[in-house]
Amino acid sequence: MALNSPAAGPAGAVRDRGMGALLGLAVGDAMGMPTQGMRRRDILADYGPITGLTAAGPRQVIAAGMPAGAVTDDTEQALLLARLLIAGDGRIEPVAFAEALVGWEQAMAAKGSLDLLGPSTREAVRRLAAGAAAAEAGRLGATNGAAMRIAPVGVATPPAPLAGLVDAVVAASMVTHNTSIGLAAAAAVGAAVSAAVEGGSRADCTELAIAAADSAAGRGHWVPGGQIGPRIAWVTKYLPTVPPAARADVLDQVVGTSVAAQESVVAAFGILAVAPSAWDAVRLAASVGGDTDTIGAIAGSIAGALEGMSAWPAGAVRRIGDVNALDLGPIVTGLLRLRARR
């Protein structure tokens, strides 16, 4: 993994935070890989509290046999989106994106992986193939697929004006998740990453995430369900009042950790509201059950943008780099060039 030391000065600090975001996405994803799709009680029985990178255990079905440090679809799809964004000079052609996702899934299936396209993305691709317009293909997408891979848009797009940031998120998400909930969830994550890369505080990130979610909720096709902005506002106030030992259970039983955007994305923001550090955030995300790799990827990308590369233990970084052959440096460079022009 290419981890160039940040240069001194403001530009170097922005690069450090941009690297921290994408690296945090990979770290959080890899931390949640062995526990994804599992019940919290089974996680505790098989692994105990998650304290570091761990290989997939005997009851892990989706990522069966994967070694400690392996990333999943969250990181791979985010980097796919990032490369398309850079190649398109800041624009992503919807049909080309859908075709790239299909190609990615075919490659994963050829390797025997069960970590394939999520339900919203698969349905959108099917609708596109049947002749649906790009704006209609994602009309049912209310899961967390767009939010899990949106961090590169946050790195590439400044937080102001907010309308421009939301436009960028919608353009990168609408082909698979063109719903009020799917777009709001992606906007919340993209805005939080963008604010953190800009040098904002955790409170700044949460405030902008809520504003972006509320704005994006008026886009796309309306679908019923708890709204992202109000739920983030609630969980970030409520979870800090819960005793630390009970927080994982509250996330599991009250907030929810499923692929539904209004559960897992909101859970990630709740974790960020209580975790003392980025490393603590991804450890908690991996332990709560459900869609742990996505919750970890989202929490890790925002926390990494807040704290920079130093947030992540060197041993974990080396392990993830060795296992996945990631080279994040050129991708971050390309994304930040886009950001500087906007």
Side-chain angles (χ1 to χ4, degrees):
M1 182 180 296
L3 293 180
N4 301 323
S5 297
V14 170
R15 180 174 177 79
D16 180 47
R17 294 190 290 266
M19 286 290 295
L22 292 196
L23 182 55
L25 188 153
V27 173
D29 182 14
M31 289 283 279
M33 174 275 295
T35 60
Q36 62 178 309
M38 295 179 65
R39 292 182 295 186
R40 175 161 162 72
R41 72 186 190 195
D42 291 339
I43 292 171
L44 293 174
D46 286 5
Y47 306 101
I50 300 297
T51 59
L53 298 174
T54 306
R59 279 191 277 191
Q60 176 49 245
V61 175
I62 300 171
M66 290 181 72
V71 299
T72 77
D73 58 328
D74 299 79
T75 301
E76 292 178 355
Q77 289 188 29
L79 296 182
L80 183 154
L81 184 151
R83 294 184 183 104
L84 288 174
L85 194 65
I86 294 166
D89 199 28
R91 296 178 179 83
I92 297 177
E93 203 283 313
V95 175
F97 184 31
E99 290 174 347
L101 288 169
V102 171
W104 170 83
E105 182 180 54
Q106 290 172 343
M108 294 293 287
K111 295 190 295 185
S113 173
L114 295 178
D115 219 347
L116 305 175
L117 295 177
S120 295
T121 299
R122 182 175 292 109
E123 175 62 15
V125 167
R126 186 198 67 77
R127 291 170 66 87
L128 272 175
E136 294 297 315
R139 65 177 297 124
L140 302 176
T143 53
N144 58 21
M148 80 178 190
R149 59 183 178 239
I150 202 66
V153 173
V155 175
T157 312
L162 180 61
L165 174 60
V166 173
D167 286 344
V169 169
V170 170
S173 307
M174 53 85 69
V175 70
T176 58
H177 292 77
N178 196 20
T179 66
S180 52
I181 288 175
L183 294 176
V189 177
V193 170
S194 178
V197 170
E198 197 76 2
S201 66
R202 192 171 301 201
D204 294 331
C205 293
T206 301
E207 181 180 355
L208 193 70
I210 294 168
D214 290 345
S215 174
R219 310 284 190 98
H221 299 274
W222 179 82
V223 291
Q227 295 300 296
I228 301 296
R231 283 180 61 79
I232 291 174
W234 165 75
V235 78
T236 53
K237 290 182 174 64
Y238 172 68
L239 201 60
T241 70
V242 175
R247 287 169 180 165
D249 288 330
V250 169
L251 289 164
D252 173 31
Q253 299 168 16
V254 180
V255 179
T257 59
S258 76
V259 298
Q262 64 265 50
E263 291 192 3
S264 47
V265 174
V266 172
F269 277 93
I271 288 169
L272 290 168
V274 298
S277 70
W279 186 243
D280 289 314
V282 297
R283 288 172 57 193
L284 177 56
S287 301
V288 295
D291 202 1
T292 51
D293 56 329
T294 293
I295 297 170
I298 291 171
S301 65
I302 299 169
L306 282 165
E307 298 183 28
M309 291 189 294
S310 64
W312 309 117
V317 172
R318 283 193 300 271
R319 175 71 181 179
I320 291 171
D322 291 343
V323 170
N324 304 284
L326 297 181
D327 188 3
L328 300 180
I331 293 175
V332 172
T333 296
L335 294 174
L336 291 178
R337 283 175 180 160
L338 294 174
R339 185 185 187 94
R341 297 209 315 262
R342 291 182 171 178

